[in-house]
Amino acid sequence: MFLDVLFPNRCLACNKIIENNLIACNVCFEKIQFTHFDYFEENILKEICKTLFPVENAYALIQFEKESLSRKIIHELKYKNREKTGEILANWITERVDFKNEKPDLIVSIPLHTKKLKERGYNQLHLFAETLSEFYKIPFDHEVILRNHYSKAQALKDKKHRLSTENIFSINKNISGKHVLLVDDVFTTGNTIATVAWEILKTGDNKVSVLVMAIDK
């Protein structure tokens, strides 16, 4: 309570003091560029994924555009110690996505390398995935995939290095006959998600759908 007085929660766009469970005031919320995708219908994310690996369904919540509030939200989550933002984004998804009778069996998040996890102090996807898991009643497992190599942030890499994902990930648990919902923060080239998806697909009679916070397209 005392810290809330000294350091009140502020809107990421206009700096107005807002409630602790918000990231933007009511006025600035309208600036967030939602995709309005349908999880079950064709969209640009699904189209790109289909060129990289067999995908069932795909959904992105917001557009990751330059100098946008949407971009700032993701950067605050990843680099400014605002892990709680992952929960807020998950709640926005629950308001927009209904899995109906085709609910995935397992939620798997893209892992950080242990060194990166120690540096950041948290995986920005864990609270996000756990919030989705609680709402949809879908189990999550953060240990299905391992990241084998430490690498600098995607945002700091040039395009050539972003395209190189060979041997970065490996399967850590054998899963079979599962429809896996693979979650990540930002979809750019799709190579990271594709690499993880193939690890899941090659271990058994599995299926993969994709859900990301933002798409950079």
Side-chain angles (χ1 to χ4, degrees), residues 11 31 51 64 69 102 121 128 145 154 161 172 188 203 209:
C11 172
K31 299 177 183 179
T51 68
F64 191 71
L69 177 54
E102 298 182 40
F128 176 72
I145 298 293
Q154 287 283 340
H161 288 94
N172 188 46
T188 50
T203 60
S209 288

Side-chain angles (χ1 to χ4, degrees), residues 151-166:
S151 60
K152 61 184 178 181
Q154 287 283 340
L156 302 178
K157 297 179 182 179
D158 58 34
K159 185 175 181 180
K160 179 180 178 182
H161 288 94
R162 288 202 304 270
L163 291 172
S164 177
T165 55
E166 186 177 1

Side-chain angles (χ1 to χ4, degrees), residues 37 42-50 55 57-61 187 193 210-212 214-215 217:
F37 287 173
E42 294 296 316
N43 56 64
I44 188 170
L45 174 59
K46 185 174 180 180
E47 290 173 6
I48 297 172
C49 287
K50 284 165 66 174
V55 66
N57 300 294
Y59 180 85
L61 177 66
F187 184 97
I193 281 182
V210 169
L211 188 151
V212 297
I215 181 170
K217 295 296 175 187

Side-chain angles (χ1 to χ4, degrees), residues 85-120:
T85 299
E87 180 181 5
I88 295 171
L89 292 171
N91 287 332
W92 290 354
I93 285 175
T94 64
E95 296 168 358
R96 293 164 172 80
V97 175
D98 182 356
F99 292 120
K100 303 173 185 176
N101 295 322
E102 298 182 40
K103 191 165 69 173
D105 303 308
L106 181 67
I107 296 175
V108 172
S109 55
I110 303 294
L112 293 177
H113 188 270
T114 51
K115 182 178 178 182
K116 178 68 67 64
L117 184 60
K118 186 175 180 179
E119 289 174 354
R120 186 172 295 172

Side-chain angles (χ1 to χ4, degrees), residues 11-148:
C11 172
L12 292 182
C14 71
N15 211 37
K16 177 183 177 181
I17 295 176
I18 55 176
E19 295 178 22
N20 285 333
N21 62 338
L22 301 176
I23 52 181
C25 68
N26 290 335
V27 173
C28 294
F29 182 82
E30 301 300 321
K31 299 177 183 179
I32 299 172
Q33 298 161 303
F34 290 96
T35 65
H36 304 293
F37 287 173
D38 186 315
Y39 173 79
F40 291 104
E41 300 296 330
E42 294 296 316
N43 56 64
I44 188 170
L45 174 59
K46 185 174 180 180
E47 290 173 6
I48 297 172
C49 287
K50 284 165 66 174
T51 68
L52 299 171
F53 60 93
V55 66
E56 301 299 313
N57 300 294
Y59 180 85
L61 177 66
I62 56 179
Q63 299 282 354
F64 191 71
E65 296 192 358
K66 215 171 191 180
E67 307 302 325
S68 68
L69 177 54
S70 299
R71 193 182 190 98
K72 187 170 185 179
I73 288 170
I74 301 297
H75 279 193
E76 290 284 321
L77 167 64
K78 294 180 69 172
Y79 308 120
K80 301 295 184 179
N81 202 34
R82 291 183 64 133
E83 185 180 11
K84 183 77 173 177
T85 299
E87 180 181 5
I88 295 171
L89 292 171
N91 287 332
W92 290 354
I93 285 175
T94 64
E95 296 168 358
R96 293 164 172 80
V97 175
D98 182 356
F99 292 120
K100 303 173 185 176
N101 295 322
E102 298 182 40
K103 191 165 69 173
D105 303 308
L106 181 67
I107 296 175
V108 172
S109 55
I110 303 294
L112 293 177
H113 188 270
T114 51
K115 182 178 178 182
K116 178 68 67 64
L117 184 60
K118 186 175 180 179
E119 289 174 354
R120 186 172 295 172
Y122 62 97
N123 182 318
Q124 70 276 9
L125 295 172
H126 283 185
L127 185 56
F128 176 72
E130 290 160 18
T131 304
L132 293 173
S133 170
E134 182 177 2
F135 180 85
Y136 292 115
K137 307 304 179 188
I138 303 172
F140 68 86
D141 193 328
H142 298 319
E143 299 179 352
V144 170
I145 298 293
L146 288 179
R147 186 183 287 263
N148 300 317

